Amino acid sequence: MSLFATYIVLLIAIAAEVVGTTAMSRSDGLTKLGPSLITLVGYVIAFWCLSIVLRTIPTGIAYAVWAGLGIVLITAVAWIFYGQKLDTPALIGLGLIVAGVLVINLFSNSVVH
């Protein structure tokens, strides 16, 4: 699998995790069937895709991208759809996370096995 395709699969994994986490927040402790099923399916897809990514990208790098972008995206979803308030320190922190992911992917030689 090409590096470009690997990153597409990683983005799918991240998106599935964000969907799963968003649904989990609406599942009332996994007691509501619909959101609980979306959570389960989202995480199954996310981890399946991540397992494919780990064939090409080292675990630490893949997880750093997964976690960093996942944090930023789930925060954006909470802000846009659920009115979560973000103050200046939160925005600065999120910017630093994005910067860290960019530094890893643009400047590190550790990205590919």
Side-chain angles (χ1 to χ4, degrees):
M1 178 180 292
S2 72
L3 189 57
F4 178 77
T6 301
Y7 272 95
I8 295 299
V9 174
L10 181 56
L11 290 175
I12 292 168
I14 293 165
E17 187 267 335
V18 168
V19 168
T21 300
T22 302
M24 187 187 310
S25 73
R26 299 296 173 222
S27 73
D28 195 28
L30 299 177
T31 61
K32 293 182 180 175
L33 183 59
S36 297
L37 290 176
I38 294 169
T39 298
L40 178 64
V41 170
Y43 277 101
V44 166
I45 291 169
F47 283 107
W48 176 63
C49 288
L50 183 61
S51 73
I52 293 168
V53 168
L54 295 178
R55 294 176 185 163
T56 306
I57 300 176
T59 304
I61 301 300
Y63 200 78
V65 174
W66 159 292
L69 294 182
I71 289 167
V72 171
L73 289 175
I74 197 66
T75 303
V77 167
W79 175 64
I80 293 166
F81 295 105
Y82 303 113
Q84 176 180 328
K85 303 297 181 209
L86 298 173
D87 58 11
T88 302
L91 293 171
I92 291 169
L94 291 168
L96 290 170
I97 291 169
V98 171
V101 170
L102 289 172
V103 166
I104 288 169
N105 285 286
L106 297 175
F107 303 108
S108 175
N109 293 322
S110 301
V111 173
V112 190
H113 281 292

